[in-house]
Amino acid sequence: MKKNRLQKYILSLITVITFINSTLLKANEQNNILLAPINIEENNETAYREDLDISSPENLYRIEKTAQFGTEVITQEEIEAQNPKDIFDLLNKTTGLDLTYQGRKHPYFINMRGGGNITYIIDGAILPQAADRILYKIPMSAIEEIQIVKNSTTLTLAPSIEIGASNSGSGTNIGFIIIRTKHPKKTEGIISTFYEKAESHPGANGQNIYAGTTFNNNGISGYIGGMLNRFNRPSDIDWFDGNDGRSGMINGGISSGSLTLNIMGYKDEGRFEMQKGVDTQGNISPVEWYYDPLKTSLISFDGNYIWNENQITLFSLSNLKYQQSEHSTSDKYYKEKTQTYSLRHNAQFNDTSIQIGTQLTNSEGKGPNLSYSYNDYETTVYGYAISLEQSLFNDDLILNAGYRRDQKIIDHSSSSRTEAQFLNNLNANNNSDLAPANVYVLGALYNIDDTHKINLRYMNSNEGGGGDFNLITQSGEPLDEEKQTRWELGLEGNYSKAFNAIITYFDVDIKNEKTATSNTYLDSDGNEYYYYTESDSTRSGLEIALNGRINNVTRYKFSYTRMLVNTTDNNDSIGTSTPKNLYTASLNHTYGKYSFNISAKKASAYTSSTSAMGTSTDVHLGDYTRVDANVSKDFILYGLDTTIKIYGRNITDEQYATRYTTGYYYDRGRTIGTELSLRF
């Protein structure tokens, strides 16, 4: 019954978009101001990808101009310059993001502006909660661009609530990390290999091969590319933090007239060891837990149809399968599947832009996962959004407003630590609609003069009422409607190519955030539901970001994030469980055939860490300055463009940890390596 209702919902949304599109087509027949066809030219070194332009209607992840303020885009050029170990190493050096690592079941945590839920998207596929165990294997050379959207005031990208097994629809996402894979710009290929070593650890190595081509014949243009990658980072047996991976990717696309289609397939397999903790007395945990194998398969399909220069419809479909085998005192197997369907229409009517979108995400999982030894769930999140953007006074003032509604349907969902609890909860919340989440946003961007801009964004969301059941506490105390407000104020100064600055104040206030407990009850009709609890939290802070390019040979970035408030139920976490100050910096300089790069991250200290095992207090976490550097030279080898790079990570050999569970999980320390790349 639920699935039939979802099908009717999608058909209704398609009908609405089609109606609006046909109406606006008639109104815009004489206007030719917005879009231009894509032309992919053979051997074009700097081929422009319209679908990556953050302002382009052909970008499936286009966001409003007010939301573009402060959004960080990491290009392939920047990724190559920083030479990160993996995507988490890269994200840890971006403004307002902080990585914590633990050698346990959920290894990587990314906090955005002090906390909140983040949605990861790869070529249209919304990733499940296992995203950290998927992303560590994705080759950096497979990524063309990463878009980091903060504060989630753009509404047409993805659901505003968490997908997957959660029995709560609350917790509106704080932001999005959007990963776009590499497309060939011409007929090209690259072969690379690296070798690196950290003290007291075996040597690590990896290889990568990529080849792709473009074509343009008889009005039909397109591309096809493929990649194979492997790496192995073994570890000392006392450290036990080794990991390896093998992956392959193939993608292709075609454009003919007004229609563009893209497809991407990705598959990987790897091993991940859960680092042994070192307790406060210096004792090393004897427990050896690891995943082997971790497997991911993903296929995504997206495209767009340009009706005219002012109307474009975009869509994406994806199917992701993930499975893991966990080994410790016993062997455990878990699998999950996530399917995503997205439809969006962008329209331009004189100085008014309209974006309408809908998404449906279905998630299934079964088996032991994370701290829950028993899981069996199938849930669906469906939602729709509309955003209006109005330009005034020759684009000096831009206003936008938006609305989004999301709802989670639970076919069945049980997650428990014990078998008895799992069996008792098998029927809890089954065949139920959780209360919908409603999100409202407003934004304004004003060009003060040719140099300065001021930006204001506001979001208000609520969840409560309209569900198939009432959320109640075990104590009988009433639960209130969840409400969230977020706002931020920013000032940007584009003084020259060599110096640009942005300063942003952000504020997040969450009232009555719901969390499902592991205990259940029966209503008068014999239906079983979970008890819930609620809490209040507040976060606010300040961000400063500087960047520039000097004489086209030197680039730099600097950021500073200062948390001013970070409380849950009036308990302050600044300096306790989160750092007060974060700094990032990077510098790149090119001299002839040489390139010099250095980057750094500094985090202040905090003293506690919370996990499924409880809260550890009076421990020393953060309080580090991490510096990475590399130098490379380009030359010709046997007629091939060749680059050799020598690099160091944590070159000052800083000993630091960011979480404490079974102990401290220290960074490996100084790692020195070299990489050789040949392009053809």
Side-chain angles (χ1 to χ4, degrees):
M1 186 188 311
K2 298 285 184 182
K3 292 186 177 179
N4 289 336
R5 192 167 65 192
L6 289 174
Q7 292 173 355
K8 292 180 181 178
Y9 164 79
I10 293 296
L11 289 173
S12 298
L13 262 295
I14 293 173
T15 302
V16 170
I17 288 178
T18 303
F19 172 75
I20 294 174
N21 174 62
S22 61
T23 303
L24 292 175
L25 273 173
K26 294 177 182 178
N28 286 325
E29 283 179 350
Q30 304 302 318
N31 294 332
N32 297 301
I33 59 175
L34 187 59
L35 302 175
I38 298 175
N39 290 317
I40 303 176
E41 299 293 343
E42 178 72 25
N43 293 326
N44 184 359
E45 291 280 359
T46 58
Y48 170 65
R49 278 186 62 178
E50 183 82 22
D51 67 313
L52 292 183
D53 187 333
I54 198 171
S55 299
S56 172
E58 294 185 39
N59 187 343
L60 185 62
Y61 304 105
R62 179 195 180 273
I63 57 178
E64 300 83 359
K65 286 185 172 61
T66 58
Q68 291 174 22
F69 189 98
T71 292
E72 189 164 356
V73 177
I74 306 174
T75 65
Q76 189 176 42
E77 180 185 22
E78 292 176 280
I79 294 173
E80 291 177 355
Q82 289 203 28
N83 194 49
K85 177 173 71 75
D86 54 35
I87 192 169
F88 295 105
D89 191 21
L90 177 70
L91 293 174
N92 193 36
K93 296 176 184 175
T94 57
T95 307
L97 270 61
D98 186 44
L99 172 71
T100 62
Y101 166 79
Q102 69 166 14
R104 301 285 289 176
K105 299 183 178 185
H106 217 333
Y108 301 104
F109 296 84
I110 289 285
N111 295 311
M112 181 179 285
R113 291 176 169 174
N117 299 320
I118 300 173
T119 296
Y120 293 88
I121 305 172
I122 300 179
D123 284 358
I126 298 174
L127 299 190
Q129 295 178 19
D132 60 336
R133 286 158 283 164
I134 295 172
L135 291 174
Y136 89 90
K137 299 187 296 296
I138 290 185
M140 290 293 91
S141 54
I143 299 173
E144 185 144 337
E145 180 182 282
I146 299 176
Q147 183 178 327
I148 302 171
V149 184
K150 301 173 190 173
N151 215 15
S152 193
T153 55
T154 183
L155 301 180
T156 55
L157 296 180
S160 63
I161 60 178
E162 193 173 23
I163 67 171
S166 171
N167 286 309
S168 171
S170 65
T172 304
N173 288 336
I174 193 73
F176 304 93
I177 294 177
I178 302 164
I179 303 165
R180 309 295 293 273
T181 59
K182 178 180 174 66
H183 292 183
K185 299 177 177 63
K186 57 176 183 174
T187 298
E188 59 180 323
I190 183 170
I191 299 174
S192 64
T193 183
F194 77 84
Y195 178 85
E196 64 185 35
K197 190 164 186 326
E199 185 179 355
S200 301
H201 289 278
N205 70 90
Q207 293 78 38
N208 185 83
I209 181 169
Y210 173 83
T213 189
T214 61
F215 58 87
N216 192 343
N217 296 307
N218 299 320
I220 299 176
S221 60
Y223 69 92
I224 186 170
M227 173 178 289
L228 292 173
N229 178 276
R230 68 159 297 278
F231 69 89
N232 182 25
R233 289 189 173 91
S235 71
D236 177 78
I237 191 63
D238 288 332
W239 203 274
F240 207 71
D241 72 339
N243 57 75
D244 63 40
R246 297 158 297 284
S247 59
M249 182 186 77
I250 185 168
N251 58 7
I254 189 169
S255 295
S256 179
S258 299
L259 179 66
T260 298
L261 300 172
N262 301 284
I263 189 169
M264 187 273 284
Y266 172 83
K267 193 175 183 69
D268 70 29
E269 180 176 333
R271 171 188 171 98
F272 193 99
E273 296 174 352
M274 302 176 205
Q275 185 174 341
K276 296 177 179 180
V278 181
D279 68 18
T280 55
Q281 304 302 314
N283 301 311
I284 300 174
S285 170
V287 179
E288 294 186 357
W289 279 355
Y290 61 97
Y291 292 117
D292 189 13
L294 292 164
K295 292 184 178 181
T296 309
S297 62
L298 167 64
I299 185 167
S300 68
F301 180 59
D302 69 78
N304 64 66
Y305 187 82
I306 302 173
W307 302 91
N308 68 12
E309 288 80 1
N310 302 295
Q311 307 288 325
I312 181 170
T313 299
L314 308 98
F315 72 90
S316 67
L317 315 169
S318 69
N319 184 64
L320 184 147
K321 295 181 180 179
Y322 169 79
Q323 54 187 301
Q324 66 185 34
S325 294
E326 181 184 342
H327 309 278
S328 55
T329 54
S330 61
D331 295 335
K332 303 174 183 179
Y333 175 75
Y334 171 77
K335 64 178 180 179
E336 67 180 352
K337 180 173 69 173
T338 305
Q339 296 174 312
T340 304
Y341 309 88
S342 177
L343 182 66
R344 177 168 170 175
H345 186 79
N346 295 334
Q348 182 82 16
F349 188 67
N350 294 325
D351 293 326
T352 303
S353 299
I354 302 174
Q355 296 182 143
I356 303 172
T358 180
Q359 286 91 22
L360 185 151
T361 303
N362 178 260
S363 305
E364 299 178 42
K366 191 169 185 177
N369 185 35
L370 301 179
S371 299
Y372 294 97
S373 298
Y374 300 89
N375 293 275
D376 188 1
Y377 69 87
E378 181 179 356
T379 64
T380 300
V381 174
Y382 67 92
Y384 60 87
I386 182 169
S387 175
L388 304 176
E389 190 172 16
Q390 180 66 48
S391 176
L392 301 168
F393 311 120
N394 295 320
D395 291 340
D396 280 343
L397 177 63
I398 297 172
L399 305 174
N400 78 274
Y403 169 72
R404 183 173 184 104
R405 176 188 167 97
D406 286 305
Q407 189 161 25
K408 176 172 283 188
I409 295 175
I410 299 175
D411 182 86
H412 62 278
S413 181
S414 181
S415 298
S416 305
R417 289 184 171 87
T418 66
E419 184 177 13
Q421 199 175 59
F422 174 74
L423 293 174
N424 288 335
N425 294 346
L426 274 178
N427 298 316
N429 289 14
N430 287 2
N431 199 34
S432 303
D433 291 1
L434 291 181
N438 298 286
V439 186
Y440 309 84
V441 301
L442 296 171
L445 176 66
Y446 179 61
N447 293 303
I448 301 172
D449 51 37
D450 291 341
T451 301
H452 299 93
K453 299 177 183 178
I454 190 169
N455 180 276
L456 176 64
R457 285 183 282 174
Y458 173 80
M459 186 202 81
N460 180 282
S461 69
N462 64 76
E463 185 199 7
D468 286 349
F469 62 98
N470 294 320
L471 307 184
I472 66 173
T473 61
Q474 193 164 358
S475 65
E477 295 180 5
L479 292 172
D480 300 311
E481 179 183 63
E482 178 175 332
K483 296 181 179 181
Q484 300 193 34
T485 57
R486 296 192 181 118
W487 66 276
E488 61 181 82
L489 178 66
L491 177 66
E492 179 178 2
N494 293 311
Y495 297 99
S496 68
K497 191 175 181 179
F499 183 73
N500 302 282
I502 298 177
I503 183 170
T504 304
Y505 173 83
F506 58 88
D507 186 278
V508 180
D509 186 36
I510 305 175
K511 303 294 186 185
N512 314 315
E513 184 173 5
K514 309 296 185 298
T515 304
T517 70
S518 58
N519 298 324
T520 63
Y521 67 95
L522 296 176
D523 68 6
S524 58
D525 297 323
N527 297 312
E528 188 176 12
Y529 299 112
Y530 286 96
Y531 286 113
Y532 283 75
T533 62
E534 66 182 13
S535 60
D536 299 340
S537 62
T538 302
R539 295 190 301 275
S540 65
L542 195 66
E543 283 181 356
I544 299 174
L546 310 175
N547 70 83
R549 184 186 290 260
I550 303 171
N551 296 329
N552 292 321
V553 295
T554 303
R555 302 191 311 272
Y556 70 90
K557 281 186 176 182
F558 171 83
S559 75
Y560 171 54
T561 302
R562 171 70 174 264
M563 294 301 302
L564 303 173
V565 177
N566 195 346
T567 63
T568 300
D569 287 342
N570 296 318
N571 295 316
D572 191 1
S573 67
I574 297 178
T576 303
S577 58
T578 58
K580 184 175 186 177
N581 300 301
L582 297 173
Y583 305 83
T584 68
S586 64
L587 178 67
N588 166 262
H589 178 72
T590 301
Y591 180 77
K593 300 292 185 179
Y594 292 89
S595 179
F596 305 88
N597 302 279
I598 187 169
S599 60
K601 168 71 177 279
K602 179 178 176 60
S604 58
Y606 49 103
T607 59
S608 72
S609 179
T610 300
S611 70
M613 296 182 65
T615 299
S616 301
T617 59
D618 297 323
V619 290
H620 186 74
L621 301 171
D623 193 21
Y624 68 88
T625 301
R626 157 85 177 257
V627 180
D628 300 343
N630 66 78
V631 59
S632 63
K633 181 183 180 182
D634 298 331
F635 59 98
I636 302 298
L637 180 66
Y638 298 115
L640 299 176
D641 292 331
T642 305
T643 301
I644 187 167
K645 179 182 295 183
I646 298 173
Y647 60 87
R649 300 193 182 102
N650 193 358
I651 59 176
T652 58
D653 203 24
E654 184 103 354
Q655 185 183 50
Y656 67 92
T658 53
R659 287 180 73 85
Y660 186 103
T661 305
T662 58
Y664 293 108
Y665 306 103
Y666 289 112
D667 183 81
R668 277 194 172 192
R670 184 187 298 113
T671 300
I672 304 298
T674 184
E675 180 182 69
L676 180 68
S677 303
L678 292 87
R679 292 176 172 82
F680 55 91

